[in-house]
Amino acid sequence: MMEINLHTVLTLEDDEKYVVVAKIEYEGNYYDYLLQLTDDEEDVTDQVAIVKEEKENDEIYIDEIIDEELLKKLTPLFQKQLEEKRD
């Protein structure tokens, strides 16, 4: 089974590649904060995605979060974690 950790590169449905820069557990589910990689994969863009990890038959799938209320709850948690990493 593949684990999703910090710095894991994921390809989303738009065929764009993103890197995991933060990970949290919220209400029993794992969520990842992703930054889109540039085409050469040497840097990141300002494009952000938040995804939920779903486990099924020992496989991990990701679903992009588009629910505004959930995003409002998750965003401050990710911001706190990212700020702590900078200190």
Side-chain angles (χ1 to χ4, degrees):
M1 174 171 68
M2 183 184 121
E3 289 282 324
I4 298 176
N5 299 305
L6 292 181
H7 311 294
T8 298
V9 175
L10 303 172
T11 303
L12 297 189
E13 288 180 0
D14 59 7
D15 284 333
E16 295 292 336
K17 292 190 177 187
Y18 290 76
V19 61
V20 178
V21 295
K23 181 182 194 88
I24 60 170
E25 183 178 356
Y26 178 75
E27 294 186 346
N29 295 300
Y30 287 99
Y31 295 90
D32 304 316
Y33 187 88
L34 313 177
L35 292 178
Q36 183 182 37
L37 291 170
T38 55
D39 290 337
D40 62 8
E41 297 184 26
E42 295 295 319
D43 204 355
V44 293
T45 70
D46 59 359
Q47 187 68 34
V48 171
I50 294 177
V51 298
K52 177 182 177 184
E53 294 182 19
E54 301 274 358
K55 287 188 182 180
E56 187 177 305
N57 300 327
D58 285 337
E59 293 290 324
I60 297 178
Y61 300 93
I62 53 173
D63 286 324
E64 189 167 357
I65 303 299
I66 53 174
D67 180 300
E68 290 295 324
E69 289 302 310
L70 183 55
L71 289 171
K72 285 179 188 173
K73 293 174 185 171
L74 296 175
T75 300
L77 300 173
F78 281 119
Q79 287 173 333
K80 182 177 183 233
Q81 186 182 103
L82 290 167
E83 286 169 11
E84 289 172 355
K85 287 183 182 176
R86 277 190 233 133
D87 294 341

